[in-house]
Amino acid sequence: MINKECDDIILKVNNLHKYFPIKEGIFSRVVNHVKAIDGVSFEVKRGETLGIVGESGCGKSTTGRAILRLLEATKGEVIFNGKNIYDISSDDLRKLRKEMQIVFQDPFASLNPRMKVGELIEEPLKLHGIGTKEERINKVNKIISVVGLNEYHLKKYPHEFSGGQRQRICIARALILNPKFIICDEPVSALDVSIQSQIINLLKDLQKEFDLTYMFISHDLSVVKHISDRVGVMYLGKMVELAPVDEIFNNPKHPYTKALLSAIPIPDPEVKRDKIILKGDVPNPINVPKGCRFHTRCPYKMDICAIEEPKFNDCGNGHFASCHFK
């Protein structure tokens, strides 16, 4: 990891919400909302990797897309390098997109099957009017070698590659504009375990080489532990815990985080761990429980948990958690 001591904030998310309307009837009247993100706030330091974890449906990927305005937030602020991206013109947003990129979960779905790899990587340069044709080709040739592929790969189509190679192509396309910040949305979940380690190591090497800042979204805590400087835990549209990676894994404060950590497989069959089995399912994001939204599954719930929502308190050492029990 790099720049651990740097306090410069590259991204600040303030009270971010994303509600999806539910419509009924012939007039498509809005009758309710799916609360995918329900008041998320955090900061990302320049040069670090912030891991975001949680169960499927907790709002991780929606948060990433709302930060980039691939989805329009219902309310809240996203401040990147001092600019609120929800308070700038479309022209300014287009210019800012060069500095903020994303690597999607499914590399095959994010690549146009009718375009050759060279065209796919060059396309962002053409869209932003960067360089002459010759300069763009030279840059594409350079970036393809950076991600561990060869120039002859540029003349092939996406279906001719393995999953790991396609993800390398997606990373090359994200890097071609020299961004400062990249959201990695479960970039290794669709890959074999052996390929996962290659992509993770590639991302770490590229971070050092290009001075990148990552927001790494995943449901795999072992992967997040390997790449992250800090980890944020989300549950039902809320951030329930945020701390340096060692603090999260060695001293978790929130019962939900403890349950996630207890489910990590241990490679040593002689070592036993008491697993925390959560009862019930994740509540419906249309009708979020009152008070602490985790209290319906929490083994430590108290009366106050069903009445009052806990604050996101500072527990010391850069450790934040929202729990009445801690």
Side-chain angles (χ1 to χ4, degrees), residues 31-48:
V31 296
N32 213 326
H33 292 86
V34 176
K35 299 175 181 178
I37 313 173
D38 198 17
V40 170
S41 300
F42 60 88
E43 297 176 344
V44 182
K45 297 178 183 178
R46 194 179 306 276
E48 78 166 344

Side-chain angles (χ1 to χ4, degrees), residues 83-197:
K83 296 180 181 179
N84 183 359
I85 71 165
Y86 281 95
D87 194 28
I88 60 177
S89 67
S90 56
D91 288 340
D92 289 338
L93 178 61
R94 182 183 176 87
K95 295 174 184 177
L96 197 63
R97 288 201 185 281
K98 292 187 290 184
E99 301 181 36
M100 306 171 72
Q101 292 291 309
I102 185 168
V103 177
F104 292 101
Q105 177 179 0
D106 186 350
F108 192 66
S110 59
L111 296 173
N112 189 334
R114 293 185 176 90
M115 297 176 69
K116 293 181 180 179
V117 169
E119 296 171 327
L120 286 165
I121 299 175
E122 183 190 1
E123 186 180 29
L125 298 173
K126 293 173 69 176
L127 289 173
H128 287 277
I130 298 174
T132 64
K133 179 67 175 177
E134 184 179 355
E135 288 171 341
R136 292 196 298 266
I137 291 174
N138 290 336
K139 194 164 187 178
V140 169
N141 289 339
K142 181 179 179 181
I143 205 70
I144 200 70
S145 63
V146 168
V147 298
L149 297 175
N150 298 308
E151 288 186 21
Y152 70 86
H153 288 129
L154 298 172
K155 298 179 181 179
K156 295 186 175 183
Y157 290 92
H159 73 269
E160 299 180 77
F161 295 89
S162 67
Q165 288 175 320
R166 283 195 288 263
Q167 198 61 286
R168 289 173 185 269
I169 294 166
C170 292
I171 293 170
R173 189 175 58 174
L175 287 174
I176 197 71
L177 293 172
N178 294 320
K180 301 293 187 292
F181 174 68
I182 297 179
I183 292 179
C184 302
D185 186 7
E186 304 207 35
V188 298
S189 63
L191 306 177
D192 293 337
V193 175
S194 60
I195 307 300
Q196 285 184 12
S197 61

Side-chain angles (χ1 to χ4, degrees), residues 244-260:
V245 63
D246 291 337
E247 272 283 310
I248 282 284
F249 281 84
N250 298 328
N251 187 29
K253 300 292 187 182
H254 199 280
Y256 178 61
T257 307
K258 294 176 182 179
L260 290 179

Side-chain angles (χ1 to χ4, degrees), residues 3 9 13-14 17 24 30-31 51 94 98-99 128 135 157 174 179 190 214 223 226 246 251-252 277 283 285 305 312:
N3 293 347
I9 304 300
V13 178
N14 294 326
H17 293 71
E24 289 183 359
V30 176
V31 296
R94 182 183 176 87
K98 292 187 290 184
E99 301 181 36
H128 287 277
E135 288 171 341
Y157 290 92
Y214 291 144
V223 171
H226 185 64
D246 291 337
N251 187 29
I277 307 298
C305 299
F312 200 57

